[in-house]
Amino acid sequence: MNLRLIGIGAGVLIILSLPLAGAIAGPDFAGQDDGKGGGLFSALGLSDAPRTSPMAPARPAGGAVEPGKPGPAEQPRTDSRCGPEVSSPHGVEAQTCVLVGEGRTWGRSYYRNTSGRALDAVLTTMGPAGRTVQIRCAVGAGDEPGLCETPKEDSAGDPDSYSAVAEFAVPDDEGELLLRSGSNSSVPGDG
């Protein structure tokens, strides 16, 4: 037999056995596993360690974090008040909201433009004492959803005293209005 062929065969055998050896040994993620509960033996039910479901939650019930293990960063709460989803026969859909979080208020409009042409959107957030913030957004032609959002301003007064309106129009001299969407619009009734 050729020694070169034997050497190649031995090398292939070693390479193929490495993943199996790793599976038997089990994971070792920076000391998080003691080696008794992981690996191939555990997966096949041959380990003395209790088997846990792969669908079991990573954290205890109630959202508590195990001591010594960092949890996800807590996100600040954002409240929203949205008007209904509206659409136009021209192929524009939108929903406009007022958002409040961390002492700041802003407007946001979610939209989809299937009109086949680029549009302009003007989003206006109105607050107490005549406070107004307005932004113009380019709305590309296409079926992908998008959003337009005013800058966040310090809140002044009750969140219910704020409203937002988005207007979608053709970007030309006449600016034909295709859709108006408001945060405090009511859904049309049946009668």
Side-chain angles (χ1 to χ4, degrees):
M1 223 185 214
N2 189 345
L3 287 178
R4 178 181 272 171
L5 187 57
I6 293 173
I8 291 173
V12 169
L13 184 60
I14 291 171
I15 290 172
L16 292 176
S17 65
L18 286 176
L20 181 60
I24 291 171
D28 184 17
F29 301 107
Q32 293 180 7
D33 189 17
D34 62 1
K36 295 179 184 175
L40 184 60
F41 288 143
S42 174
L44 295 175
L46 301 175
S47 171
D48 292 337
R51 182 174 160 87
T52 60
S53 166
M55 300 302 289
R59 297 184 343 179
V65 177
E66 292 180 35
K69 292 189 180 180
E74 190 170 319
Q75 297 296 317
R77 180 182 168 100
T78 301
D79 293 319
S80 63
R81 191 179 73 255
C82 300
E85 294 179 32
V86 293
S87 60
S88 78
H90 304 286
V92 183
E93 302 171 2
Q95 182 178 32
T96 302
C97 307
V98 171
L99 293 97
V100 178
E102 296 186 315
R104 304 175 90 186
T105 304
W106 66 101
R108 179 183 292 166
S109 187
Y110 302 94
Y111 63 82
R112 182 181 304 259
N113 175 17
T114 61
S115 69
R117 57 186 170 181
L119 303 174
D120 278 341
V122 175
L123 176 61
T124 306
T125 303
M126 297 154 286
R131 297 171 61 135
T132 303
V133 178
Q134 189 175 71
I135 190 164
R136 181 178 299 271
C137 299
V139 176
D143 194 23
E144 293 298 315
L147 68 87
C148 181
E149 187 172 273
T150 63
K152 298 175 181 178
E153 298 286 329
D154 290 336
S155 297
D158 183 24
D160 289 337
S161 62
Y162 283 85
S163 62
V165 174
E167 297 177 315
F168 296 84
V170 177
D172 61 11
D173 292 337
E174 297 192 24
E176 177 188 0
L177 182 63
L178 302 180
L179 182 69
R180 179 177 289 132
S181 168
S183 63
N184 58 351
S185 302
S186 60
V187 178
D190 292 334

